């Protein structure tokens, strides 16, 4: 019986990996029912598992961010919605409360603006310190995919500002209230990063013809390459760092920014609940998984599929040097 169970689990892992490598099957809504039926599918986080825990979610007014905040609140967490548009944030908070979420707070922050990040972090950390409350997690979900090259108020290419600089600085500044509580930080990335190699030599996308989708994928590649760096940096604070990618999900960001892709894949796009599942699961599963890595459908996945996207330590060091210089992190 033990041999049979081991064989079944090995076959299950092989099938799961085959779905992942196929991309179309693994990233679409077709994968969910198959993977959930496999013996290797992890158990759900039990109801109430996050009761009393405080978790911040950026970009929480729509799509994956809104779904993530809702899922965390359903598990009992106090969801802190970190948003650019407070009015929209209040609408989301009201809908979450109507659905049964009792603890929801709104905070304003433009993640791509480092001055806004500093102001938010100062207010947020002070409020937590005053009450002796601990922050248990941050989900970095806020995103941008401009068609033309845009710069942040500090002069940085926008996708790198929103997806890398802002989140790293925010986490660093919130370490005083995040540390020593088995904190968890999740960067919501994209499977599109598989098509790009790390461009530590040109993080601002100043060379060549700018393309929004390429810039987006480059910034998501940068997130994934930094996960290990950040996990080691924040390990002393007992903070674990992960990246998750949601697969192909039907969100406003997809339909508005890449309408051609959305139109072609519409029949197989995942719903936002399916896309947010792994992020919510990582925030609540016990014991806390080992820090680092890229996760999709509740399993750690390879970060490269083709040799020409592989990244060396020197490139990661160069990227971190740029991030630390741009954010002022020593």
């Amino acid at each position: 019986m033990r041999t049979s169970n081991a064989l079944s689990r090995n076959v299950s892992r092989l099938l799961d990996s085959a779905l992942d490598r196929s991309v179309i099957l693994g990233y679409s809504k077709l994968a969910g029912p198959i993977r959930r039926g496999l013996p290797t599918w992890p158990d759900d986080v039990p109801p109430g598992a996050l009761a009393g825990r405080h978790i911040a979610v950026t970009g929480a007014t729509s799509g994956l961010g809104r779904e993530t905040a809702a899922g965390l609140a359903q598990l009992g967490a106090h969801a802190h919605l970190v948003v650019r548009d407070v009015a929209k944030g209040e609408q989301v908070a009201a809908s979450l409360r109507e659905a049964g979420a009792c603890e929801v707070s709104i905070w304003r922050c433009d993640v791509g603006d480092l001055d806004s990040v500093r102001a938010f972090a100062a207010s947020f950390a002070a409020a937590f310190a005053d009450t002796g409350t601990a922050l248990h997690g941050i989900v970095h979900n806020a995103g941008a995919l401009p068609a033309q090259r845009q710069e942040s108020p500090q002069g940085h290419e926008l996708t790198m500002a929103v997806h890398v600089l802002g989140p790293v600085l925010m986490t660093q500044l919130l370490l005083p209230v995040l540390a020593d509580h088995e904190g968890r930080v999740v960067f919501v990335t994209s499977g599109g990063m598989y098509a790009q190699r790390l461009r530590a030599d040109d993080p601002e996308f100043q060379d060549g013809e700018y393309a929004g989708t390429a810039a987006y994928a480059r910034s998501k590649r940068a997130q994934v390459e930094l996960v290990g760096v950040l996990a080691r940096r924040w390990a002393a604070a007992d903070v674990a760092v992960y990246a998750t990618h949601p697969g192909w999900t039907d969100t406003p960001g997809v339909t508005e920014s890449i309408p051609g892709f959305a139109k072609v894949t519409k029949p197989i796009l995942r719903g936002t609940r399916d896309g947010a599942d792994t992020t919510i699961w990582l925030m609540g599963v016990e014991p806390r998984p080992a820090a680092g890595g890229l996760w999709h459908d509740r399993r750690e996945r390879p970060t490269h599929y083709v040799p020409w996207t592989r990244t060396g330590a020197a490139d990661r060091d160069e990227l971190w040097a740029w991030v630390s210089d741009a954010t002022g992190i020593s």
Side-chain angles (χ1 to χ4, degrees):
M1 179 66 72
R2 187 173 300 172
T3 301
S4 176
N5 288 340
L7 179 61
S8 175
R9 294 182 70 82
N10 287 337
V11 171
S12 173
R13 291 190 184 95
L14 288 172
L15 176 56
D16 185 17
S17 295
L19 287 171
D20 198 51
R21 301 307 189 277
S22 73
V23 178
I24 292 177
L25 292 176
Y27 293 5
S28 72
K29 68 180 182 181
L30 305 174
I34 297 174
R35 283 177 169 144
R36 284 176 171 80
L38 296 175
T40 49
W41 182 256
D43 292 337
D44 292 340
V45 176
L50 294 177
R53 297 191 182 186
H54 294 254
I55 302 176
V57 182
T58 70
T61 54
S62 66
L64 291 170
R66 178 174 182 156
E67 195 69 60
T68 299
L72 295 171
Q74 287 168 4
L75 290 172
H78 183 142
H80 295 267
L81 313 185
V82 183
V83 301
R84 283 193 305 168
D85 189 325
V86 173
K88 288 184 178 179
E90 293 289 1
Q91 292 174 1
V92 173
S95 69
L96 294 183
R97 293 185 186 109
E98 288 176 4
C102 298
E103 301 292 340
V104 185
S105 298
I106 311 296
W107 301 83
R108 189 195 177 279
C109 181
D110 181 347
V111 179
D113 181 346
L114 299 184
D115 290 338
S116 179
V117 171
R118 292 186 181 97
F120 155 73
S123 298
F124 192 88
F128 271 59
D130 287 345
T131 60
T133 306
L135 177 64
H136 296 88
I138 307 173
V139 177
H140 291 299
N141 170 81
L145 201 170
Q148 307 297 326
R149 190 179 186 280
Q150 297 181 29
E151 292 187 349
S152 72
Q154 289 75 37
H156 300 295
E157 191 276 321
L158 189 60
T159 63
M160 287 295 282
V162 173
H163 302 147
V164 178
L165 298 179
V168 171
L169 178 61
M170 182 185 294
T171 306
Q172 182 69 34
L173 294 175
L174 292 180
L175 280 184
V177 293
L178 183 63
D180 303 323
H181 303 286
E182 288 200 347
R184 309 181 192 199
V185 175
V186 173
F187 287 79
V188 180
T189 188
S190 166
M193 67 93 200
Y194 281 115
Q196 294 289 328
R197 67 182 179 88
L198 180 64
R199 287 299 307 272
D201 61 324
D202 184 27
E204 304 276 15
F205 210 134
Q206 294 175 327
D207 298 337
E209 184 177 354
Y210 185 87
T213 53
Y216 179 86
R218 282 191 190 184
S219 67
K220 294 298 185 178
R221 165 59 68 187
Q223 284 181 328
V224 171
E225 297 300 339
L226 280 176
V227 163
V229 175
L230 297 172
R232 291 188 293 273
R233 179 180 179 86
W234 295 328
D238 194 21
V239 174
V241 187
Y242 314 93
T244 61
H245 89 75
W248 294 343
T249 307
D250 190 1
T251 67
V254 170
T255 55
E256 294 169 8
S257 300
I258 43 178
F261 172 82
K263 182 177 181 180
V264 170
T265 58
K266 181 69 174 178
I268 58 171
L269 287 179
R270 295 172 175 227
T272 52
R273 185 62 182 85
D274 197 13
D277 175 80
T278 299
T279 298
I280 297 167
W281 180 84
L282 273 175
M283 277 291 167
V285 66
E286 295 291 350
R288 182 179 67 176
L294 169 64
W295 292 71
H296 172 61
D297 282 353
R298 302 190 186 184
R299 181 177 171 185
E300 191 171 350
R301 305 291 174 178
T303 57
H304 300 270
Y305 287 149
V306 291
W308 55 85
T309 66
R310 295 194 180 278
T311 303
D315 288 326
R316 278 188 287 270
D317 289 345
E318 185 177 358
L319 176 65
W320 175 247
W322 173 76
V323 171
S324 60
D325 180 66
T327 58
I329 297 174
S330 61

